[in-house]
Amino acid sequence: MATTAPTARPRVNTFSSGPCAKRPGWSLKALADAPLGRSHRAKIGKAKLKLAIDLTREVLQVPAGYRIGIVPASDTGAVEMAMWSMLGARGVDMVSWESFGEGWVTDVVKQLKLADVRTITAPYGELPNLKTIDTRNRDVVFTWNGTTSGVRVPNADWIAADRQGLTICDATSAAFAQRLDWDKLDVVTFSWQKVLGGEAAHGMLILSPRAVERLETYKPAWPLPKIFRMTKGGKLIEGIFEGETINTPSMLCVEDYIDALKWAQKVGGLDGLVKRADANTRVIAKFVKENDWIDFLAVKPKTRSNTSVCLKFTDPAVTALPADAQAAFAKGIVATLEKEGAGLDLGHYRDAPPGLRIWCGATVQARDLKALMPWIAYAFATEKAKLKKAA
């Protein structure tokens, strides 16, 4: 057990799961071309927004027939727009295994109050039995990657190719780091502040032709706020998906997102981004294998996230503690890492089991994760020594 502090620290110690680390080499100079003080409806504003959409399509490899829109309120706004505008046409299966998925269940059950809802859940660290989901006849809402549990779906093989309903996928911590099967997805949402380390507050909404058809042929029984409305006179408002945003976006944030997308192109596009995230996660996997007091929260290797990596402490001296004491132990480790300047924002999500959450998306450097691992061992040893003294 490491009883002395390591000498080397990560060059970049930001490992938050959102907002996430900026791309390597980023500085404010990257935003020099932002059209500040100009209208987003001016020619230059529209051009910037359209460029952000076009680069998104290229890097994410979104099919030509899919619409891509920039919407308000981050990923949450995008998911809510989809659910409030499209659900209710048929029964829906709500799938959750962590905090954000649970939030979508609450919205559908308690706010929309749909009559035909099936809730399919699993505890933190596990996936539900995907075979129990009726993707052929019902709509489905799910997260591709559970940001607060570190558990992801391994693929989209469980989704029927001949489905009649829609698949609504919250992919905010998966997009740009995991491969999305576009043929199986009708609505995909994400936000700029995750894998590409962009600035927050803006969401992305990607619609398949089937999703567009639902919007144009189905009218919900409830009123829709202005920021949720995507049709007019029964037709899709195409401008939303060409850069004419529903409300005023931050052109500074738009510029930052464009910069991140151009960086993504330079590192190999989607292939390069996935490769970087996978390499980062392997650093942690090696550390976990070498230390028997820590493990992944995700039970099965094939469902482990390569972005929001969640860890739990397995040392008997820790697991024997009451739940609140285990949480305090984890917070103590996080506090030590922050005090030493070794790693910031590494705490578990407030609703998740006690442990650590380390962002491994493409903007993080593997060398920084390698430097972080000895510090985690040191912080753990420090906290465990306190337990022995207390005993």
Side-chain angles (χ1 to χ4, degrees):
M1 193 70 69
T3 55
T4 58
T7 56
R9 289 175 172 80
R11 297 183 189 180
V12 179
N13 63 359
T14 47
F15 299 100
S16 164
S17 291
C20 301
K22 306 300 288 185
R23 64 156 176 87
W26 182 92
S27 74
L28 285 172
K29 293 180 181 179
L31 310 182
D33 197 39
L36 303 183
R38 295 298 308 276
S39 170
H40 63 297
R41 302 191 190 283
K43 185 176 181 180
I44 188 171
K46 288 183 179 180
K48 289 285 187 180
L49 291 162
K50 183 63 164 56
L51 177 59
I53 290 172
D54 291 344
L55 288 174
T56 298
R57 185 181 302 280
E58 178 183 338
V59 176
L60 268 187
Q61 301 176 5
V62 180
Y66 284 53
R67 268 78 159 196
I68 302 174
I70 299 170
V71 300
S74 193
D75 177 66
T76 300
V79 175
E80 297 286 11
M81 285 179 72
M83 293 196 303
W84 285 73
S85 298
M86 301 183 202
L87 294 184
R90 59 177 62 227
V92 59
D93 282 0
M94 301 295 300
V95 188
S96 74
W97 58 91
E98 51 90 52
S99 309
F100 290 103
E102 290 175 1
W104 309 143
V105 171
T106 297
D107 285 353
V108 168
V109 174
K110 295 185 177 181
Q111 306 302 323
L112 283 174
K113 299 180 180 180
L114 298 183
D116 186 2
V117 180
R118 296 199 312 166
T119 301
I120 301 169
T121 65
Y124 277 88
E126 300 180 27
L127 270 183
N129 182 352
L130 300 178
K131 295 180 180 179
T132 64
I133 304 168
D134 185 358
T135 62
R136 178 167 285 104
N137 301 300
R138 301 169 66 83
D139 292 337
V140 179
V141 179
F142 72 103
T143 54
W144 189 280
N145 182 91
T147 309
T148 66
S149 70
V151 176
R152 64 175 175 180
V153 294
N155 51 54
D157 294 350
W158 53 280
I159 299 174
D162 60 345
R163 64 190 182 282
Q164 300 300 308
L166 298 181
T167 51
I168 299 176
C169 174
D170 173 357
T172 198
S173 57
F176 299 108
Q178 299 167 20
R179 299 188 182 282
L180 304 174
D181 188 342
W182 294 103
D183 288 342
K184 298 292 186 70
L185 303 176
D186 295 303
V187 179
V188 174
T189 69
F190 65 90
S191 52
W192 296 351
Q193 73 267 25
K194 293 293 185 181
V195 177
L196 292 187
E199 291 305 297
H202 299 77
M204 299 298 286
L205 180 66
I206 304 179
L207 305 178
S208 74
R210 300 178 73 255
V212 173
E213 181 184 19
R214 171 71 65 85
L215 285 170
E216 293 184 336
T217 58
Y218 167 68
K219 184 177 181 180
W222 46 85
L224 289 178
K226 180 180 179 180
I227 62 171
F228 286 2
R229 298 174 201 159
M230 291 180 277
T231 61
K232 185 175 182 180
K235 293 295 181 180
L236 188 73
I237 303 174
E238 294 285 359
I240 296 174
F241 305 93
E242 296 172 358
E244 297 175 12
T245 55
I246 295 174
N247 68 339
T248 305
S250 163
M251 298 311 298
L252 196 66
C253 291
V254 171
E255 193 69 27
D256 189 62
Y257 181 51
I258 291 171
D259 172 73
L261 288 163
K262 289 181 176 178
W263 170 79
Q265 290 177 314
K266 292 177 182 178
V267 298
L270 184 60
D271 290 342
L273 296 172
V274 172
K275 184 178 179 180
R276 289 174 66 91
D278 286 347
N280 288 339
T281 309
R282 284 196 294 271
V283 172
I284 298 180
K286 181 176 183 293
F287 178 74
V288 167
K289 186 176 181 180
E290 294 171 347
N291 294 276
D292 61 3
W293 46 267
I294 195 167
D295 200 358
F296 289 95
L297 182 59
V299 175
K300 297 181 179 179
K302 69 177 182 179
T303 69
R304 290 173 186 164
S305 171
N306 67 344
T307 56
S308 55
V309 177
C310 297
L311 303 174
K312 60 184 178 181
F313 301 113
T314 56
D315 188 298
V318 179
T319 57
L321 296 171
D324 58 345
Q326 290 188 46
F329 182 88
K331 290 178 180 178
I333 292 176
V334 171
T336 296
L337 293 170
E338 182 169 347
K339 179 181 178 181
E340 295 288 352
L344 305 176
D345 306 321
L346 293 168
H348 62 274
Y349 192 73
R350 60 179 179 269
D351 296 330
L356 300 176
R357 183 170 59 152
I358 307 172
W359 185 255
C360 289
T363 57
V364 172
Q365 300 274 54
R367 69 187 183 201
D368 291 322
L369 285 163
K370 290 177 181 178
L372 173 66
M373 296 301 105
W375 281 101
I376 292 177
Y378 167 73
F380 177 84
T382 301
E383 287 302 306
K384 189 173 179 182
K386 294 178 183 178
L387 289 181
K388 291 181 178 179
K389 288 182 180 180

